Amino acid sequence: MQAGRLDEAARLWGQVLSLQPEHPQALFHLGQHKLLQRDAAAALALLERAAQADPKTPAIPLNIAFAHRSSGNTQAEFAALDRALAIDPYFYPALLTKGDALRRLGRPRGAAKVFKDAIAIMPPEHRLPEELKTAAANARAAVRDDAAAMENYLNERLTALSGHEPAKVSSRLEECVGIAAGTKKAFVQRPTMLNFPQLPAVPFYERSGFPWLEKLEKSTGDIRNELVALLAKQNEEGANFTPYVDHAEGAAQSQWGDLNRSPDWGAYFLWDDGRPVAEHIEA
């Protein structure tokens, strides 16, 4: 099957089935093969037997949903998708399929909600199976379209109010509408380590809160020159860049896995975990 020799695979799965008539994997893959041949009735018969033999694999009711969709039975399609999600609520291929079915029925709001759930648990784009990339892109587009429609809907009904409010209130109201619609992000701190409470929940701080900023900006050229000089001799003693992320072997990597112990995101520490690096500071 992995080599694309589907007819030969089907013959072999048929031999498995002749030896063990309720072999779930053989029933499942033969059902998929019938789907590819556009024989929905035969596919459904095989897939239902597979579901009885293996009631804990969500991919089986997902393919049953495909068979019902092929035969135009929308109610049974949704029932099969719900069965898949009852087995595994995080089975994102079923969420993508359910969202697509809702959109097909002209229910964009419901589709966007399901798509949003799928997007939240899907792996990143480069880890998605090739056959799901188009469905994932369509899901993201549907969520964006729904958010824009909701934002327009709310803005139309709040136009009269915004004209009577001070500019700052209107700006906050605009941000509120965007957050409610999903076109803007609610900015709250989510640190990976120390949570310092009572910080303003704003995307950007006002410059007036940083009186030292102008002096720092005027030193940009000097800072850059120091960096260029360090990069030119970074392999020499006293100019060592080290990986910024350095988790121990076996530690959970979360979002830092690709950067752990990687020189691609190196640092020339002046302070490292609260301790001054004297030779770097002196340099």
Side-chain angles (χ1 to χ4, degrees):
M1 288 176 67
Q2 290 177 359
R5 293 153 61 186
L6 301 182
D7 290 336
E8 186 178 350
R11 284 195 296 273
L12 291 167
W13 285 123
Q15 291 178 35
V16 172
L17 213 58
S18 67
L19 297 170
Q20 189 176 337
E22 299 306 313
H23 190 284
Q25 193 176 5
L27 289 165
F28 175 47
H29 290 303
L30 284 169
Q32 285 186 311
H33 191 67
K34 290 297 183 183
L35 274 177
L36 289 172
Q37 294 177 325
R38 303 182 183 277
D39 188 345
L44 191 57
L46 289 161
L47 291 167
E48 288 289 4
R49 285 170 60 193
Q52 289 181 358
D54 180 6
K56 294 185 178 180
T57 297
I60 297 175
L62 173 61
N63 279 265
I64 290 173
F66 294 151
H68 285 305
R69 183 175 66 188
S70 294
S71 59
N73 191 339
T74 302
Q75 185 175 353
E77 176 188 0
F78 276 101
L81 290 170
D82 288 340
R83 279 163 58 191
L85 292 168
I87 296 168
D88 181 2
Y90 297 97
F91 187 49
Y92 69 89
L95 288 169
L96 289 172
T97 305
K98 186 173 183 178
D100 188 60
L102 287 166
R103 187 170 58 171
R104 199 172 67 242
L105 291 175
R107 296 166 58 185
R109 290 287 294 155
K113 184 179 183 303
V114 174
F115 281 144
K116 196 177 294 185
D117 291 341
I119 291 167
I121 59 176
M122 283 191 315
E125 176 76 14
H126 67 280
R127 292 181 185 168
L128 274 174
E130 201 63 37
E131 64 271 16
L132 289 177
K133 287 186 176 180
T134 298
N138 291 338
R140 294 188 191 97
V143 169
R144 286 195 301 270
D145 291 346
D146 178 72
M150 174 59 76
E151 187 173 37
N152 289 336
Y153 173 87
L154 292 172
N155 280 329
E156 285 174 3
R157 281 148 186 79
L158 291 170
T159 299
L161 174 63
S162 61
H164 296 283
E165 297 288 353
K168 192 166 187 179
V169 175
S170 294
S171 173
R172 291 174 66 191
L173 182 59
E174 180 185 349
E175 187 174 350
C176 171
V177 168
I179 291 169
T183 60
K184 290 183 172 62
K185 180 181 177 181
F187 285 92
V188 293
Q189 61 158 321
R190 292 174 181 163
T192 55
M193 292 185 290
L194 181 67
N195 188 311
F196 194 79
Q198 302 180 32
L199 297 176
V202 294
F204 300 101
Y205 291 92
E206 297 292 337
R207 286 181 65 93
S208 58
F210 305 91
W212 44 265
L213 187 59
E214 185 176 354
K215 182 180 178 182
L216 179 66
E217 288 176 335
K218 287 181 178 178
S219 302
T220 297
D222 293 335
I223 294 169
R224 183 184 184 280
N225 291 338
E226 287 186 358
L227 172 62
V228 170
L230 284 168
L231 289 170
K233 59 176 185 178
Q234 61 180 306
N235 293 322
E236 299 176 14
E237 186 177 353
N240 291 326
F241 285 73
T242 55
Y244 184 73
V245 179
D246 187 11
H247 291 170
E249 287 290 339
Q253 304 298 325
S254 65
Q255 71 265 44
W256 307 115
D258 292 340
L259 292 172
N260 189 40
R261 301 187 177 182
S262 169
D264 291 341
W265 200 23
Y268 183 81
F269 284 101
L270 303 182
W271 289 71
D272 188 1
D273 283 340
R275 294 182 296 272
V277 183
E279 59 183 325
H280 289 188
I281 292 172
E282 183 180 352

